[in-house]
């Protein structure tokens, strides 16, 4: 069965950096685009970024563009997001999620989600 | 950016009664709309895709309708395990989520 396990969350000061990881299993990781989605405490969902199945393109929400960088290692089946210049508004649970479409070049919808990792940006 | 607006923000329904959740898009998204269910402390779970197709494991009491800018998720006979927050999401133009509707048992 599909499993996505995030790690790397924690408390970081404003302006700091953090790298999140997501270990995938139970599906052909290298054939599917992947997403990061975040959820501020008690709030709704915000799409953060998407990376193509082959890692050749990434797409970002305006709120993180230029600060966050998504990447993937298809051999290790791990997804990453490097988050820099962190702000208080980046606080929340970060979920990695699998895109539905096999070989999709653009984001569609998310058919499996991990349990998330909490990022807290605070001084 | 396509803005997704869900209503109501919260809904209290008696067991066995019908719950109707709405999702409106600021411009047409065709049928490129999905619904997720999120229970407390859990990740969202895909419920309906393509506006009306139930995902694997979604009980038949859940039904999605609509196209263009107006969508509805109906729970025909509310069960206690349906207490959750429901989000809609469009994927016609990148990805945006609605703010969610919290469904509670009356």
């Amino acid at each position: 069965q599909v499993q996505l396990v995030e790690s790397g969350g924690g408390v970081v000061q404003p302006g700091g950096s953090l790298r999140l990881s997501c270990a995938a299993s139970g599906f052909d990781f290298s054939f599917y685009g992947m997403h990061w989605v975040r959820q501020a405490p008690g709030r709704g969902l915000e799409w953060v970024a998407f990376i193509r199945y082959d890692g050749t393109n990434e797409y970002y929400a305006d709120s993180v563009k230029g600060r966050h960088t998504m990447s993937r290692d298809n051999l290790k089946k791990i997804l990453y997001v490097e988050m820099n210049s962190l702000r208080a508004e980046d606080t929340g649970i970060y979920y990695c999620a699998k895109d539905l479409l096999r070989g999709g070049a653009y984001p569609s919808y998310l058919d499996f989600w991990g349990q998330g990792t909490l990022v807290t940006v605070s001084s | 950016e396509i803005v997704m607006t869900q209503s109501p923000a919260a809904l209290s329904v008696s067991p066995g009664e019908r719950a109707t959740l709405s999702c409106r898009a600021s411009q047409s998204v065709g049928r490129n709309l999905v619904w997720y269910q999120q229970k407390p402390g859990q990740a969202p779970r895909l419920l309906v895709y393509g506006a009306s197709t139930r995902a694997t494991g979604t009980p038949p009491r859940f039904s999605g309708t609509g196209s263009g800018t107006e969508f509805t998720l109906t729970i025909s006979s509310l069960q206690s395990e349906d207490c959750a927050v429901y989000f809609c999401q469009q994927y016609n133009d990148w990805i945006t989520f609605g703010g969610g509707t919290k469904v509670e048992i009356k």
Side-chain angles (χ1 to χ4, degrees), chain A residues 5-64:
Chain A
V5 180
E6 302 92 337
S7 60
V11 180
V12 60
Q13 292 189 336
S17 299
L18 209 56
R19 187 176 84 157
L20 307 182
S21 301
C22 172
S25 61
F27 67 103
D28 290 330
F29 181 74
S30 61
F31 286 104
Y32 290 91
M34 296 293 294
H35 301 259
W36 287 99
V37 175
R38 68 185 180 187
Q39 186 170 34
R43 305 293 296 275
L45 300 167
E46 180 187 12
W47 175 76
V48 173
F50 169 82
I51 187 167
R52 269 177 55 123
Y53 66 98
D54 56 5
T56 56
N57 266 311
E58 312 103 60
Y59 304 95
Y60 299 93
D62 288 344
S63 57
V64 306

Side-chain angles (χ1 to χ4, degrees), chain A residues 56-113:
Chain A
T56 56
N57 266 311
E58 312 103 60
Y59 304 95
Y60 299 93
D62 288 344
S63 57
V64 306
K65 198 173 294 183
R67 298 188 301 119
H68 291 13
T69 302
M70 197 172 176
S71 61
R72 64 191 295 160
D73 184 328
N74 282 349
L75 290 178
K76 295 181 179 178
K77 300 183 180 181
I78 300 178
L79 181 72
Y80 302 99
V81 62
E82 183 79 35
M83 305 187 296
N84 298 309
S85 303
L86 283 162
R87 308 166 180 167
E89 53 265 35
D90 294 315
T91 292
I93 297 173
Y94 282 71
Y95 297 100
C96 75
K98 171 186 168 293
D99 195 84
L100 171 82
L101 296 178
R102 183 179 175 95
Y106 297 99
S108 66
Y109 58 93
L110 294 69
D111 60 350
F112 289 97
W113 300 59

Side-chain angles (χ1 to χ4, degrees), chain B residues 23-54:
Chain B
C23 175
R24 174 176 293 177
S26 60
Q27 61 191 78
S28 177
V29 299
R31 295 182 62 82
N32 295 322
L33 182 111
V34 299
W35 292 91
Y36 300 97
Q37 177 192 64
Q38 186 179 34
K39 295 182 178 181
Q42 296 185 16
R45 178 175 80 97
L46 179 65
L47 211 56
V48 169
Y49 62 92
S52 61
T53 303
R54 281 187 291 274

